[in-house]
Amino acid sequence: MNATVVTAVERYFRLYARHLSSPDLDSLLAMLESLHGLNDKLRTKVQIDLFGSDAFTALKALRNFFHHEEEMFHRVRILPFARMRGAQSDLLFACLVERELVDRALSKVQSTKSANAVGTMNWYGPIVDIQPCLYNAAVDVYEAIAPLDLGSLEPHFQMFRDSYERETGLGVPHKVSGRIITRAGDATAVLMEAFLSAPSPPASSAGRSDP
């Protein structure tokens, strides 16, 4: 297998694991950049194109938007559900982006692809939770590269592969809905309260280095 593809795969799953375990704006941007780079390597080296994934299309649009409009990144909040009043999900965190920014990002995508990409995220009035899209995109990536002879890769990829195969054996879905269930009022109201009360994040340097 081409060494640059292996390196790109390992980097993506390493940064994906980092974002799932300790998410912040740096981990988010770094993962988006690694996903962008991985698709470039797959297309040029092994003729695999991730644009068949609606989740990838959505994340690619967001990556391009924030790459050129980096000052807008302070309008993103990554919040644990444990800190939200009566909120539950099949994920541990919400990654909330103002709807205006998501709309602007998707406006650059072909209309039919944009319509499909919309469904990969969860929309709550003026904000959008993109965390389910981030999670499910990793499944699409894995399924796209699974036929390749990748051999034994670093632990983060191995952990993902083991989890995927375990879910397959148990008949458990690989993807999540990420929908939010609340015991205290409307989900949009709960998320907006959490979004507005969270402090503005510091300026991010993500995507420029790979820790």
Side-chain angles (χ1 to χ4, degrees):
M1 176 52 57
N2 184 278
T4 59
V5 171
V6 170
T7 298
V9 169
E10 290 183 323
R11 181 172 186 265
Y12 168 70
F13 281 97
R14 180 170 65 252
L15 294 173
Y16 169 78
R18 173 192 167 195
H19 181 71
L20 282 193
S21 61
S22 301
D24 57 23
L25 294 190
D26 282 342
S27 71
L28 174 58
L29 271 181
M31 184 176 63
L32 291 177
E33 289 294 339
S34 70
L35 181 59
H36 169 77
L38 173 59
N39 189 54
D40 283 348
K41 299 295 189 301
L42 290 173
R43 284 198 300 170
T44 57
K45 302 299 183 181
V46 292
Q47 291 72 56
I48 290 177
D49 193 339
L50 296 177
F51 274 107
S53 161
D54 295 331
F56 172 78
T57 299
L59 296 181
K60 171 73 170 178
L62 287 168
R63 177 265 173 193
N64 289 347
F65 176 78
F66 287 122
H67 184 76
H68 298 291
E69 304 282 351
E70 192 172 339
E71 71 279 4
M72 296 296 180
F73 214 61
H74 72 280
R75 294 162 65 179
V76 178
R77 301 288 187 275
I78 299 175
L79 304 170
F81 285 108
R83 297 183 184 177
M84 295 186 201
R85 176 173 50 90
Q88 295 180 328
S89 173
D90 48 8
L91 296 174
L92 296 176
F93 296 86
C95 185
L96 304 177
V97 185
E98 292 185 18
R99 181 181 188 131
E100 175 201 351
L101 304 187
V102 179
D103 285 339
R104 289 170 61 185
L106 293 180
S107 71
K108 307 297 183 182
V109 178
Q110 183 182 8
S111 59
T112 53
K113 290 185 177 181
S114 176
N116 292 335
V118 164
T120 67
M121 299 170 279
N122 291 335
W123 300 69
Y124 302 93
I127 54 177
V128 182
D129 184 10
I130 68 169
Q131 190 73 2
C133 183
L134 296 165
Y135 187 98
N136 292 331
V139 176
D140 289 341
V141 170
Y142 177 77
E143 291 177 345
I145 65 175
L148 300 177
D149 182 16
L150 294 171
S152 179
L153 274 64
E154 68 171 34
H156 295 107
F157 176 81
Q158 294 293 126
M159 290 172 59
F160 191 98
R161 177 157 58 188
D162 290 345
S163 176
Y164 185 96
E165 292 177 352
R166 184 167 56 252
E167 290 170 349
T168 299
L170 294 172
V172 175
H174 300 300
K175 295 186 177 183
V176 299
S177 73
R179 293 299 302 179
I180 296 166
I181 301 172
T182 64
R183 298 188 304 273
D186 176 67
T188 298
V190 171
L191 287 174
M192 281 303 302
E193 178 184 347
F195 185 91
L196 294 174
S197 63
S200 297
S204 174
S205 60
R208 301 186 181 90
S209 62
D210 182 2

Coordinates of all heavy atoms in Angstrom, one line a residue, residues 7-21 34 154 156-157 210-211:
T7 N 0.0 6.9 5.8 CA 0.2 8.0 6.8 C -1.0 8.9 6.9 O -1.4 9.3 8.0 CB 1.4 8.8 6.3 OG1 2.6 8.0 6.2 CG2 1.6 10.0 7.2
A8 N -1.7 9.1 5.8 CA -2.9 10.0 5.9 C -4.0 9.3 6.6 O -4.8 9.9 7.4 CB -3.4 10.4 4.5
V9 N -4.2 8.0 6.4 CA -5.2 7.2 7.1 C -4.9 7.3 8.6 O -5.8 7.5 9.5 CB -5.3 5.8 6.6 CG1 -6.1 4.9 7.6 CG2 -5.9 5.8 5.2
E10 N -3.7 7.0 9.0 CA -3.3 7.0 10.4 C -3.5 8.3 11.1 O -4.0 8.4 12.2 CB -1.9 6.5 10.6 CG -1.7 5.0 10.2 CD -0.2 4.6 10.5 OE1 0.7 5.4 10.2 OE2 -0.1 3.4 10.9
R11 N -3.1 9.4 10.3 CA -3.3 10.7 10.9 C -4.8 11.1 11.1 O -5.1 11.6 12.2 CB -2.7 11.7 10.0 CG -2.8 13.2 10.5 CD -2.0 14.1 9.6 NE -2.0 15.5 10.2 CZ -2.8 16.4 9.9 NH1 -3.8 16.2 9.0 NH2 -2.7 17.6 10.5
Y12 N -5.6 10.7 10.2 CA -7.0 11.0 10.3 C -7.6 10.3 11.5 O -8.3 10.9 12.4 CB -7.8 10.7 9.1 CG -9.3 10.7 9.3 CD1 -10.0 11.9 9.5 CD2 -10.0 9.5 9.3 CE1 -11.3 12.0 9.7 CE2 -11.4 9.6 9.6 CZ -12.1 10.8 9.7 OH -13.4 10.8 10.0
F13 N -7.4 9.0 11.6 CA -8.0 8.3 12.7 C -7.4 8.7 14.1 O -8.1 8.6 15.1 CB -7.9 6.8 12.5 CG -9.0 6.3 11.5 CD1 -8.7 6.1 10.2 CD2 -10.3 6.1 12.0 CE1 -9.7 5.7 9.3 CE2 -11.3 5.6 11.1 CZ -11.0 5.5 9.8
R14 N -6.1 9.1 14.1 CA -5.5 9.6 15.3 C -6.2 10.9 15.8 O -6.6 11.0 17.0 CB -4.0 9.8 15.1 CG -3.3 10.4 16.4 CD -1.8 10.4 16.2 NE -1.3 11.3 15.1 CZ -0.9 10.9 14.0 NH1 -0.8 9.6 13.6 NH2 -0.5 11.8 13.1
L15 N -6.4 11.8 14.8 CA -7.1 13.1 15.2 C -8.6 12.9 15.4 O -9.2 13.6 16.3 CB -6.8 14.1 14.1 CG -5.4 14.5 13.9 CD1 -5.2 15.4 12.7 CD2 -4.9 15.2 15.1
Y16 N -9.2 11.9 14.8 CA -10.6 11.6 15.1 C -10.7 11.1 16.5 O -11.6 11.5 17.2 CB -11.1 10.6 14.1 CG -12.4 9.9 14.4 CD1 -13.6 10.6 14.2 CD2 -12.5 8.7 15.0 CE1 -14.8 10.1 14.5 CE2 -13.7 8.1 15.3 CZ -14.9 8.8 15.1 OH -16.1 8.2 15.4
A17 N -9.8 10.2 16.9 CA -9.9 9.7 18.3 C -9.6 10.8 19.3 O -10.3 10.9 20.3 CB -8.8 8.6 18.5
R18 N -8.7 11.7 19.0 CA -8.5 12.8 19.9 C -9.7 13.7 20.0 O -10.1 14.1 21.1 CB -7.3 13.7 19.3 CG -7.1 15.0 20.1 CD -6.1 15.9 19.4 NE -6.1 17.2 20.0 CZ -5.6 18.3 19.4 NH1 -5.0 18.2 18.2 NH2 -5.7 19.5 20.0
H19 N -10.4 13.9 18.9 CA -11.6 14.8 19.0 C -12.7 14.1 19.7 O -13.5 14.8 20.4 CB -12.1 15.2 17.6 CG -13.3 16.1 17.6 ND1 -13.2 17.4 17.9 CD2 -14.6 15.8 17.3 CE1 -14.4 17.9 17.9 NE2 -15.2 17.0 17.5
L20 N -12.9 12.8 19.6 CA -13.9 12.2 20.4 C -13.6 12.2 21.9 O -14.6 12.3 22.7 CB -14.1 10.7 19.9 CG -14.8 10.5 18.6 CD1 -15.1 9.0 18.5 CD2 -16.1 11.3 18.5
S21 N -12.4 12.0 22.3 CA -12.1 11.9 23.7 C -11.9 13.2 24.4 O -12.3 13.4 25.5 CB -10.8 11.1 23.9 OG -9.7 11.7 23.2
S34 N -7.3 17.1 8.3 CA -6.8 15.7 8.0 C -7.7 15.0 7.1 O -7.3 14.2 6.2 CB -6.5 14.9 9.3 OG -7.7 14.6 9.9
E154 N -1.4 1.9 13.1 CA -1.2 2.4 14.4 C -2.5 2.1 15.2 O -3.6 1.9 14.7 CB -0.8 3.8 14.5 CG -1.8 4.8 14.1 CD -1.4 6.3 14.4 OE1 -0.1 6.5 14.3 OE2 -2.2 7.1 14.7
H156 N -4.9 3.7 16.9 CA -6.2 4.4 16.8 C -7.0 3.8 15.6 O -8.2 3.7 15.8 CB -6.0 5.9 16.6 CG -5.3 6.6 17.7 ND1 -4.0 7.0 17.8 CD2 -5.8 6.9 19.0 CE1 -3.8 7.6 18.9 NE2 -4.8 7.5 19.7
F157 N -6.3 3.5 14.5 CA -7.1 2.9 13.4 C -7.5 1.5 13.8 O -8.6 1.0 13.5 CB -6.2 2.8 12.2 CG -6.9 2.1 11.0 CD1 -7.8 2.7 10.2 CD2 -6.6 0.7 10.8 CE1 -8.4 2.0 9.2 CE2 -7.2 0.1 9.8 CZ -8.1 0.7 9.0
D210 N 0.3 18.8 13.8 CA -0.3 17.5 14.1 C 0.3 17.0 15.4 O 1.4 16.4 15.4 CB -0.1 16.5 13.0 CG -0.7 15.1 13.2 OD1 -1.3 15.0 14.3 OD2 -0.5 14.3 12.4
P211 N -0.3 17.2 16.6 CA 0.4 16.8 17.8 C 0.5 15.3 17.9 O -0.3 14.6 17.4 CB -0.6 17.4 18.9 CG -1.9 17.5 18.2 CD -1.6 17.8 16.8

